[in-house]
Amino acid sequence: MKYSVFAAATLAATVLAGGSYAEDAPVTDYMNYDFSIGAIVLGRTSSQVVVLDDFGTPYLTSGGALWPSAGLDAKFSRDLSNGFSLGGRIIATAAIATNRSNAVPIFGGLAFTDVTSGFGLFGPASFVGSVDQYSNFTSVEANVGHQSGNMPVRFYTGLRYVHIGDGLDAVISTGDLGGASNRYKIDAANDMFGAQIGIRLDAPVSSDKWSGYATASVGYYGNSGNVMAGTSGLVLGTSAPGPISTSDSATSRFGTFGADLHIAGAYKLAANKRLEFGYSLMYFDRVASAAPSYGVSNSGTPTAAVATSSALFHGLSASFKLSF
């Protein structure tokens, strides 16, 4: 974890000190520097969460939707001589909403699962269950690019740090017999650092006001995946979820393959000012994830275990770009 934070800080400092973003240096723009800042909204395709009672009956499910997160998208680029360029990009998002499953009634006092195990023989109560899911994404990269002559193609390579976090918060509660609740929370975090290669293609647009481009890249990263599992235990006298009182964590290290696609269009406001709009898609084949980790972590007395899945992020961005 420490080396990942250091790597992110180092890359960010490189970008802000004068590095540039190879993807974002326009082929037909002869100014030396480009800087853009804006917002990005990303959705992540969720994993399926299925909680079973002791009789194998699924009663709490969530999945198939998107967990939206929003945040900063900043780029900085500098053109060098002989067709070379330097560049960097920072994306940092936080969860802005949760993907809440529908509350599902559970009748009787014998529905024992990880999250309800603390109830024991609670009696003829009617339980209600819910799951919240959330996710965040951070990426810091620095690239070196090269363009041959006036060809609208630029190749680049560089280093990248990526953080992917997600979690789920499962609660079982009842208002019967004075009220009771039990809560089980899983948080997963991935800190990745590695190398990438990519290509940028500028669109042959004849308009003086409009321009466009597309980039594609692949990378391989060393990943430190961590999972934290915690429970409130049985809380009596209220149906509100209690605070996490007992927790455990586990860490696993493995390799992760990533692939990115970005398509953007820009409208020129002035010679050195543009508005840019884009669509981004980012795929990672193996990351520590909360939903599958729920299935392998024991929540009676939490014993965390790392389970992995793929992660797909995609969404829209808008930014203001200044050249000088």
Side-chain angles (χ1 to χ4, degrees), residues 17-78:
S20 62
Y21 189 48
E23 290 187 29
D24 203 50
V27 172
T28 56
D29 194 340
Y30 295 101
M31 297 183 179
N32 287 330
Y33 296 91
D34 286 321
F35 177 78
S36 69
I37 187 167
I40 188 168
V41 178
L42 293 174
R44 175 178 176 176
T45 302
S46 70
S47 300
Q48 185 77 8
V49 180
V50 179
V51 182
L52 304 176
D53 64 20
D54 272 4
F55 306 102
T57 304
Y59 67 82
L60 191 59
T61 63
S62 180
L66 293 177
W67 312 336
S69 62
L72 171 74
D73 184 8
K75 310 183 191 79
F76 186 75
S77 63
R78 180 182 181 183

Side-chain angles (χ1 to χ4, degrees), residues 23-323:
E23 290 187 29
D24 203 50
V27 172
T28 56
D29 194 340
Y30 295 101
M31 297 183 179
N32 287 330
Y33 296 91
D34 286 321
F35 177 78
S36 69
I37 187 167
I40 188 168
V41 178
L42 293 174
R44 175 178 176 176
T45 302
S46 70
S47 300
Q48 185 77 8
V49 180
V50 179
V51 182
L52 304 176
D53 64 20
D54 272 4
F55 306 102
T57 304
Y59 67 82
L60 191 59
T61 63
S62 180
L66 293 177
W67 312 336
S69 62
L72 171 74
D73 184 8
K75 310 183 191 79
F76 186 75
S77 63
R78 180 182 181 183
D79 287 337
L80 304 175
S81 60
N82 299 318
F84 285 93
S85 62
L86 299 175
R89 185 182 189 184
I90 299 174
I91 299 175
T93 73
I96 59 174
T98 55
N99 173 28
R100 175 176 284 275
S101 70
N102 294 325
V104 179
I106 313 154
F107 297 101
L110 297 176
F112 299 128
T113 69
D114 285 342
V115 79
T116 61
S117 59
F119 283 100
L121 289 172
F122 192 74
S126 177
F127 299 98
V128 173
S130 66
V131 173
D132 280 346
Q133 294 175 268
Y134 41 90
S135 186
N136 57 71
F137 179 87
T138 300
S139 172
V140 181
E141 63 182 91
N143 299 304
V144 177
H146 184 262
Q147 171 197 347
S148 297
N150 293 322
M151 294 292 292
V153 178
R154 185 183 299 267
F155 297 94
Y156 61 92
T157 185
L159 300 176
R160 187 182 188 188
Y161 164 77
V162 178
H163 171 85
I164 296 176
D166 77 283
L168 66 86
D169 200 344
V171 177
I172 302 294
S173 63
T174 180
D176 297 343
L177 305 177
S181 69
N182 197 3
R183 177 186 180 195
Y184 190 53
K185 191 171 186 290
I186 289 271
D187 284 303
N190 298 266
D191 290 288
M192 297 179 270
F193 183 73
Q196 65 178 4
I197 58 173
I199 184 173
R200 167 180 168 133
L201 177 64
D202 284 88
V205 179
S206 59
S207 170
D208 180 56
K209 290 289 188 180
W210 291 96
S211 60
Y213 68 90
T215 66
S217 65
V218 293
Y220 190 78
Y221 311 96
N223 190 348
S224 176
N226 178 267
V227 168
M228 189 284 293
T231 182
S232 66
L234 181 63
V235 178
L236 298 174
T238 178
S239 59
I244 299 299
S245 60
T246 306
S247 64
D248 184 47
S249 64
T251 299
S252 179
R253 290 177 171 82
F254 46 87
T256 299
F257 169 82
D260 287 34
L261 175 67
H262 181 64
I263 301 172
Y267 179 77
K268 185 165 68 174
L269 302 173
N272 65 337
K273 299 180 181 69
R274 289 180 174 86
L275 289 178
E276 187 172 293
F277 307 91
Y279 171 80
S280 295
L281 184 149
M282 291 166 282
Y283 171 79
F284 300 88
D285 73 330
R286 189 184 183 197
V287 298
S289 299
S293 296
Y294 179 95
V296 297
S297 298
N298 179 359
S299 62
T301 301
T303 304
V306 177
T308 62
S309 69
S310 62
L312 177 67
F313 292 87
H314 63 101
L316 302 174
S317 62
S319 59
F320 173 76
K321 181 177 178 180
L322 180 66
S323 303

